[in-house]
Amino acid sequence: MGEQDAILVIDHDPAAALLLSDFLEREGYAVAVARTGGEGLRLIRLGTFALVLLDLDLPDLEGTSLMREAHGARRRPR
């Protein structure tokens, strides 16, 4: 699987992030995990993910704000 097939899990709860990433990896997906909204946004700007699983109640950045930022980051020329 290429980077475009990877799934990004953004969750500040380590147990939830581990549960999701372990399950997805067992299903054959490449998984990246971010524990903060800022880290998740940085990873989105660096790569291409097929899917982003996002905790909407992140302590450093509200999930809906992160989605708007990420959408804007994807539209900017690199």
Side-chain angles (χ1 to χ4, degrees), residues 1-73:
M1 277 186 190
E3 183 179 287
Q4 68 274 10
D5 297 323
I7 296 174
L8 175 59
V9 174
I10 306 173
D11 199 318
H12 71 285
D13 180 345
L18 181 62
L19 179 71
L20 283 169
S21 63
D22 281 353
F23 172 78
L24 293 167
E25 287 171 349
R26 281 194 307 270
E27 292 297 315
Y29 294 98
V31 180
V33 176
R35 298 286 168 83
T36 67
E39 182 183 358
L41 191 55
R42 182 184 65 77
L43 290 173
I44 289 168
R45 288 178 174 151
L46 290 175
T48 303
F49 296 94
L51 179 68
V52 176
L53 299 176
L54 171 65
D55 177 358
L56 293 178
D57 190 27
L58 296 164
D60 67 325
L61 185 60
E62 182 181 298
T64 54
S65 297
L66 188 145
M67 290 188 308
R68 280 193 295 276
E69 283 288 323
H71 182 70

